[in-house]
Amino acid sequence: MATSPSPKKVLLPIVAGTEPIEASIPIDILRRAGANVTVASAGDALLVEIMYGVKILADELLVDCAAASYDLIVLPATGHPWFVEKFPPKVTAVDANVVVDGNAVTGTGPATSMEFAMALVEQLYGKEKVEQIAKPMLVRYEGGYSMKELNSVEWHCSGTPKVLLPVANGIEEMEAIILVDALRRANADVVVASAEDGVVVTARYGTRIVADVMLDEAADRAPFDLIIVPGGMPGAKTLGGCEQLVALLKKQAEANRPYGAIGAATAHVLEPHGLLKVRAELPGTCSNPLTARRR
């Protein structure tokens, strides 16, 4: 009987200041492909607060990984166009999101991290593996956005938007971390709240996210300008069964404040509690409104 090949070994070091998207997407994608990814802290503790206040619990300290050999080492730091001018003259910049040059693969920034991660999978496993994992993830290569707006209303808030993002074991790490990253880049006050027994949440592909607070503490900070729920199983099911979160969402809906979900959370959190009903257009009262979808 033929034995299965050993998983590819990948090292991904993180440090304070690492871009959340540039770290979380390669971790997620490579683990989906079957790689054994070790997230290593380059500091002196496993808990690392990377950019935008995202807290990750690494698997090991980097100093403890020095003796091991890896099929691939991924550095979550890009060849962003801003930094090209810092390269010596002998380095030639290539106008592409991802460049594969021999054994080296480089990407240009957070928004191209998906392409970067898929390129790594292709180099390790081949194009067939890329297609295998890309399809269920709904990865679109043609670019652009696919959005349909129903019942357009103006979202309103006063001052810095307060956002609640609940997490539980088994959520999709990309769906949670990208939301936190993007909203905090926009200067929103995002509270990541754990619906588990502790603040450390293990996402679907093993990334250990450290929440800011427990959900009951976050509830004391209500109301929120936005509540957004990440998907992923079984995390979405856990969140859908969390009475405290459901109560917050229902109050959010009753007060005509925005809320939303992505992926499995639409089916396991919003729909069972009547939160996907189409709503009529509501007047906006914000001096700086954002026109967006409300369902």
Side-chain angles (χ1 to χ4, degrees), residues 133-144:
I133 64 175
K135 187 174 181 180
M137 290 179 63
L138 306 181
V139 174
R140 301 171 67 245
Y141 291 106
E142 64 270 24

Side-chain angles (χ1 to χ4, degrees), residues 145-285:
Y145 295 94
S146 176
M147 185 186 81
K148 183 178 291 185
E149 185 170 0
L150 304 174
N151 300 321
S152 177
V153 299
E154 293 178 338
W155 292 14
H156 57 88
C157 63
S158 57
T160 301
K162 288 174 57 182
V163 180
L164 174 65
L165 191 140
V167 293
N169 292 331
I171 59 162
E172 289 276 7
E173 39 262 88
M174 281 197 293
E175 293 179 7
I177 292 175
I178 290 173
L179 285 168
V180 175
D181 182 307
L183 289 165
R184 284 180 175 164
R185 284 174 191 261
N187 295 320
D189 178 12
V190 182
V191 178
V192 180
S194 170
E196 299 290 351
D197 293 332
V199 292
V200 178
V201 170
T202 302
R204 185 177 179 184
Y205 292 98
T207 301
R208 292 187 289 177
I209 300 169
V210 182
D212 302 317
V213 295
M214 299 298 294
L215 187 58
D216 55 357
E217 182 180 340
D220 293 336
R221 304 184 187 183
F224 292 92
D225 296 297
L226 171 66
I227 299 176
I228 189 76
V229 187
M233 293 294 286
K237 191 170 183 178
T238 298
L239 293 172
C242 177
E243 294 181 1
Q244 194 165 42
L245 175 60
V246 171
L248 284 169
L249 283 165
K250 287 184 174 181
K251 287 180 181 178
Q252 193 82 355
E254 290 166 3
N256 291 322
R257 288 191 294 267
Y259 59 89
I262 186 170
T266 58
H268 289 276
V269 182
L270 299 189
E271 195 281 329
H273 302 290
L275 294 166
L276 278 183
K277 295 176 181 178
V278 176
R279 300 180 179 278
E281 184 167 314
L282 300 169
T285 59

Side-chain angles (χ1 to χ4, degrees), residues 20-59:
I21 292 176
E22 293 175 9
S24 63
I25 290 180
I27 294 168
D28 182 308
I29 296 298
L30 288 164
R31 284 177 173 165
R32 286 175 192 257
N36 180 4
V37 181
T38 298
V39 180
S41 167
D44 55 7
L46 292 177
L47 178 60
V48 182
E49 183 169 331
I50 55 182
M51 285 186 75
Y52 305 108
V54 174
K55 294 185 278 290
I56 300 293
L57 195 62
D59 303 316

Side-chain angles (χ1 to χ4, degrees), residues 121-140:
V121 170
E122 183 172 347
Q123 295 305 110
L124 285 175
Y125 296 97
K127 197 159 189 172
E128 185 177 342
K129 176 65 76 172
V130 172
E131 294 171 353
Q132 178 185 330
I133 64 175
K135 187 174 181 180
M137 290 179 63
L138 306 181
V139 174
R140 301 171 67 245

Side-chain angles (χ1 to χ4, degrees), residues 67-147:
S69 60
Y70 296 91
D71 297 291
L72 174 67
I73 298 176
V74 181
L75 301 178
T78 63
H80 194 285
W82 287 353
F83 301 112
V84 169
E85 62 184 29
K86 298 182 182 297
F87 293 153
K90 64 181 180 181
V91 176
T92 302
V94 178
D95 185 16
N97 289 342
V98 179
V99 176
V100 180
D101 183 3
N103 288 330
V105 182
T106 56
T108 54
T112 63
S113 295
M114 179 67 76
E115 294 172 71
F116 175 69
M118 291 297 183
L120 297 178
V121 170
E122 183 172 347
Q123 295 305 110
L124 285 175
Y125 296 97
K127 197 159 189 172
E128 185 177 342
K129 176 65 76 172
V130 172
E131 294 171 353
Q132 178 185 330
I133 64 175
K135 187 174 181 180
M137 290 179 63
L138 306 181
V139 174
R140 301 171 67 245
Y141 291 106
E142 64 270 24
Y145 295 94
S146 176
M147 185 186 81

